[in-house]
Amino acid sequence: MNKDGTLNEVAGLYCGLDRFEARKKLWTDLEETGLAAKKEPHTLRVPRSQRGGEIIEPLVSKQWFVTMEPLAEKALKVVESGELTIMPERFEKIYNHWLLNIKDWCISRQLWWGHRIPVWYIEGKDCEEDYIVARSAEEALDKAREKYGNVDIYQDPDVLDTWFSSALWPFSTLGWPDASAEDFKNFYPTTVLETGHDILFFWVARMVMMGIEFTGTVPFSNVYLHGLIRDAQGRKMSKTLGNVIDPIDTIKEYGTDALRFTIALGTAGQDLNLSMERLTANKAFTNKLWNAGKFVLQNLPSQSDNSAWETLSSYKFDLEESLLKLPLPECWVVSKLHMLVDTVTTSYDKYFFGDVGREIYNFFWGDFADWYIEASKARLYQSEGQSVASIAQAVLLYVFENILTMLHPFMPFVTEELWQALPNRKEALIVSCWPRTSLPRDVNSVKRFENLQALTRAIRNARSEYSVEPARRISASIVANSEVRQYVANEKEVLALLSRLDLQNVHFVESAPGDANQSVHLVAGEGLEAYLPLADMVDVSSEVERLTKRLMKMQAEYDALVARLKSSNFVEKAPEEIVRGVREKAAETEEKLTLTKNRLDFLKSTVLVSK
């Protein structure tokens, strides 16, 4: 077959005919000569061009190849010596496997675009064995005339394989082959290549081989491979499946920062199943960050209040003596921040980007937003002394601006917007300095505040268990040894605010109060307990009546489940998963029964004591 789809001289009688015409004529001739045995319909798969739709014919032809073993050997050595690091490390095995089993590379392609193969032939010569390889048409013509006399030449119509052209990228864009070019001297070799793990061989390994071959230097010192973005079911996105998630539409609905953050958490070679639930959660995270920024801004002094800003500027949280003078919540959150900076910086240096995102997320939401912002309200809204309020303002600003700095690579738009809104910003966040590491922290204050948190959670759980209205303030007696009692008592306002206690009726004592039998006893840990008077939380008689009815209903439900399990007819004939589900339900109901009975007994004893 010729390249235009007609048959060549080898086809004999059919020479010169188009491929389709030749097939029809061949069958007709077979029938006319009686050589056709039978005719029956047959469905077959016909390969077609993806771009033009034309039927593709197999054709053996001469192609250009690159001998790969000498190139692969050098590329293997740079990884072995540590000159090139592949992350995650497990992909080294794949890299080595490909290069150890490498075959010669067919680099010529029959496409309409691309880098032309640097090969020229002699006009008028049918033999394609006479070819000239040169850097330019001028050089090729000189070589041809030197060898064959006054001849003309034409260039091979094939172009280089796309991956061959791509492999030249690290240096061909910087002025190479002029090694004295400023861009080449300044930016080659680079430090990090970041790309998907699916093209480790197609692109990464070939860039390494080309870089070493043409410049003598590996083109980058680190290769960071991220995962592929798949749909929520883990399938690769494709138009055929109709499961492609358009990033533009996603950005319109969830925001660029939420999309970036979601994708960044699924890095380090692990494929990411992109679900709308993840995007929704990270959109909420973006909103939480924005609202935290609004809170900080609303509680800072006016920009015209120079004396207030001088006071804020006087706090030096990077000095140990200043840190240790801070009240407990402030010392805790600044210490936790300094720990976070060290952890995040180390993770960034190791390219553990998923860990970075999760660590910042947990600190911002779990520590700063849920605990310190709430605790700061006791300083900002309820304290009489302005000095305590100014400390809270300074800590809010210090911690928040550091969070924005660390989060900026993940969420550049919302963090930059919030940064620019903060007073006295002399430069953009994108060019600001990274937070300093190895700053002081007070481990003792961290443990103490965690104790306070445990106490707060215990009181909140008790309120929830007894269905206390959120607005209702209750009394509490806090029992602890002298050391614990002192630091918890110093934060009485914070404890009352976070636990919704009646500030005037929070008492700190050495032992259980006299009405302990009529109180809910809570153990927070490390010698820290609390007693909450039942009368403050519920109407005991009404609660006894409610729990009695609930207990009867639960008992009936439990008896019905036990009866089913005692029935051999059910156990033997029902599907195994159904029987297992009933057993689990029965165990769960029995546990709830025990808890409800214990609470009911406690309430009844309280009623008896009060009478």
Side-chain angles (χ1 to χ4, degrees):
M1 187 177 287
N2 298 313
K3 289 185 178 180
D4 63 358
T6 61
L7 301 191
N8 59 32
E9 63 278 0
V10 181
L13 294 173
Y14 308 100
C15 177
L17 288 177
D18 176 79
R19 52 182 169 157
F20 301 115
E21 294 175 6
R23 287 182 179 129
K24 290 179 182 177
K25 182 168 175 49
L26 175 61
W27 179 252
T28 301
D29 291 347
L30 287 171
E31 287 184 318
E32 288 179 353
T33 55
L35 294 174
K38 65 176 180 177
K39 180 178 182 179
E40 61 182 31
H42 179 71
T43 302
L44 71 160
R45 299 182 68 177
V46 179
R48 291 183 178 272
S49 167
Q50 183 183 14
R51 292 184 176 86
E54 298 86 356
I55 292 175
I56 297 171
E57 304 289 353
L59 179 65
V60 176
S61 61
K62 289 183 178 179
Q63 304 291 329
W64 290 98
F65 285 78
V66 172
T67 303
M68 297 302 293
E69 282 191 16
L71 300 176
E73 186 179 347
K74 295 175 184 176
L76 283 164
K77 284 182 179 177
V78 294
V79 172
E80 185 182 347
S81 67
E83 192 176 345
L84 174 65
T85 302
I86 297 175
M87 298 168 286
E89 189 177 346
R90 66 181 183 275
F91 286 104
E92 269 190 31
K93 292 182 180 178
I94 298 173
Y95 176 90
N96 292 337
H97 176 77
W98 274 331
L99 293 185
L100 287 169
N101 297 279
I102 203 164
K103 306 295 182 185
D104 288 345
W105 179 11
C106 177
I107 61 165
S108 54
R109 296 290 181 271
Q110 293 73 50
L111 300 172
W112 287 103
W113 54 86
H115 289 141
R116 294 284 292 277
I117 297 283
V119 172
W120 284 261
Y121 303 103
I122 310 303
E123 288 278 9
K125 276 185 173 284
D126 293 334
C127 181
E128 291 189 350
E129 297 301 325
D130 296 323
Y131 59 83
I132 305 294
V133 177
R135 291 179 176 271
S136 65
E138 293 77 12
E139 183 183 333
L141 184 60
D142 291 342
K143 285 184 176 181
R145 289 181 175 174
E146 183 181 333
K147 185 175 181 180
Y148 299 104
N150 189 23
V151 295
D152 289 323
I153 59 174
Y154 65 93
Q155 190 171 358
D156 193 307
D158 285 2
V159 298
L160 290 169
D161 173 18
T162 302
W163 292 113
F164 188 100
S165 297
S166 300
L168 307 175
W169 176 264
F171 48 87
S172 65
T173 57
L174 301 175
W176 180 88
D178 180 7
S180 63
E182 284 300 312
D183 283 352
F184 187 82
K185 289 193 296 182
N186 290 332
F187 303 114
Y188 188 87
T190 56
T191 306
V192 181
L193 170 74
E194 179 270 337
T195 190
H197 66 74
D198 55 328
I199 52 176
L200 174 58
F201 175 71
F202 293 106
W203 192 35
V204 178
R206 284 164 173 167
M207 280 192 283
V208 173
M209 289 187 281
M210 293 292 187
I212 297 171
E213 179 66 21
F214 292 118
T215 71
T217 307
V218 65
F220 26 74
S221 50
N222 296 284
V223 175
Y224 180 84
L225 300 169
H226 61 70
L228 305 180
I229 308 300
R230 300 180 179 273
D231 70 6
Q233 299 175 40
R235 301 173 300 176
K236 197 168 183 178
M237 294 185 196
S238 73
K239 292 179 182 177
T240 306
L241 291 175
N243 64 339
V244 176
I245 299 173
D246 190 324
I248 302 300
D249 294 339
T250 306
I251 286 169
K252 287 179 182 177
E253 184 173 355
Y254 297 97
T256 306
D257 288 305
L259 178 59
R260 282 175 61 99
F261 192 71
T262 302
I263 292 173
L265 291 185
T267 54
Q270 298 292 337
D271 290 355
L272 172 69
N273 296 349
L274 187 59
S275 65
M276 297 304 107
E277 289 77 11
R278 290 192 185 197
L279 287 166
T280 301
N282 288 325
K283 181 181 180 180
F285 176 61
T286 310
N287 291 337
K288 188 78 171 179
L289 188 69
W290 184 264
N291 290 332
K294 284 174 63 178
F295 177 84
V296 173
L297 285 167
Q298 289 167 358
N299 288 283
L300 290 177
S302 167
Q303 290 199 51
S304 59
D305 190 347
N306 294 328
S307 63
W309 278 102
E310 285 178 10
T311 302
L312 292 190
S313 302
S314 66
Y315 296 109
K316 304 298 181 185
F317 302 116
D318 56 347
L319 300 176
E320 186 172 6
E321 57 269 25
S322 299
L323 177 70
L324 295 177
K325 291 178 182 177
L326 292 174
L328 180 59
E330 283 70 23
C331 189
W332 165 77
V333 76
V334 172
S335 295
K336 292 276 283 186
L337 172 71
H338 291 169
M339 294 176 186
L340 177 73
V341 171
D342 288 356
T343 304
V344 164
T345 303
T346 301
S347 295
Y348 262 129
D349 290 342
K350 293 179 178 179
Y351 303 96
F352 295 165
F353 300 125
D355 291 348
V356 173
R358 283 183 284 273
E359 286 155 1
I360 300 173
Y361 181 101
N362 292 336
F363 172 78
F364 167 75
W365 203 311
D367 292 333
F368 183 66
D370 283 357
W371 286 97
Y372 183 68
I373 283 183
E374 294 305 312
S376 71
K377 294 174 183 177
R379 287 44 167 125
L380 300 169
Y381 305 154
Q382 298 178 21
S383 292
E384 296 179 2
Q386 182 57 37
S387 61
V388 179
S390 68
I391 291 174
Q393 290 171 334
V395 169
L396 282 169
L397 181 60
Y398 176 72
V399 176
F400 189 64
E401 65 184 6
N402 276 280
I403 290 172
L404 294 181
T405 304
M406 290 184 285
L407 199 54
H408 184 66
F410 289 87
M411 311 177 84
F413 300 103
V414 66
T415 53
E416 188 70 70
E417 188 78 14
L418 288 167
W419 176 273
Q420 298 285 351
L422 294 174
N424 306 318
R425 299 299 105 177
K426 296 179 181 178
E427 59 184 7
L429 177 55
I430 195 171
V431 293
S432 63
C433 294
W434 184 256
R436 285 173 52 202
T437 56
S438 302
L439 291 175
R441 70 287 312 268
D442 183 12
V443 177
N444 194 36
S445 290
V446 171
K447 290 181 179 178
R448 287 181 172 184
F449 192 79
E450 286 173 352
N451 234 10
L452 187 63
Q453 285 178 305
L455 177 60
T456 303
R457 289 193 189 97
I459 296 172
R460 286 175 175 176
N461 290 340
R463 291 179 63 103
S464 175
E465 189 178 342
Y466 285 91
S467 303
V468 181
E469 299 90 340
R472 188 170 184 175
R473 301 285 172 171
I474 61 175
S475 305
S477 294
I478 311 300
V479 180
N481 60 45
S482 58
E483 180 194 352
V484 176
R485 194 165 65 247
Q486 181 179 356
Y487 68 73
V488 174
N490 287 342
E491 298 303 333
K492 181 179 179 180
E493 286 187 1
V494 171
L495 177 64
L497 179 67
L498 297 178
S499 307
R500 296 187 177 276
L501 301 177
D502 180 1
L503 185 60
Q504 305 305 318
N505 287 298
V506 177
H507 307 288
F508 297 89
V509 293
E510 294 182 5
S511 57
D515 60 350
N517 292 332
Q518 301 173 49
S519 301
V520 177
H521 179 212
L522 308 174
V523 178
E526 286 197 31
L528 183 59
E529 303 172 38
Y531 289 86
L532 310 179
L534 262 176
D536 273 15
M537 297 196 291
V538 293
D539 181 329
V540 177
S541 299
S542 299
E543 186 68 5
V544 167
E545 185 179 346
R546 186 184 73 82
L547 287 179
T548 301
K549 291 179 180 178
R550 182 181 176 188
L551 190 62
M552 291 174 62
K553 185 178 179 181
M554 289 172 63
Q555 187 66 53
E557 182 182 350
Y558 176 70
D559 291 343
L561 292 169
V562 171
R564 288 185 76 186
L565 292 172
K566 285 182 178 179
S567 168
S568 58
N569 210 21
F570 169 73
V571 174
E572 292 172 6
K573 294 184 178 180
E576 185 180 344
E577 62 270 16
I578 299 294
V579 176
R580 185 169 59 250
V582 172
R583 285 201 178 101
E584 290 173 357
K585 182 70 175 175
E588 182 184 340
T589 306
E590 185 180 20
E591 186 178 347
K592 288 180 179 178
L593 264 173
T594 303
L595 292 173
T596 305
K597 283 179 181 177
N598 291 342
R599 189 186 302 177
L600 188 58
D601 292 342
F602 171 63
L603 290 172
K604 285 179 179 178
S605 67
T606 303
V607 173
L608 291 172
V609 170
S610 62
K611 286 180 180 179

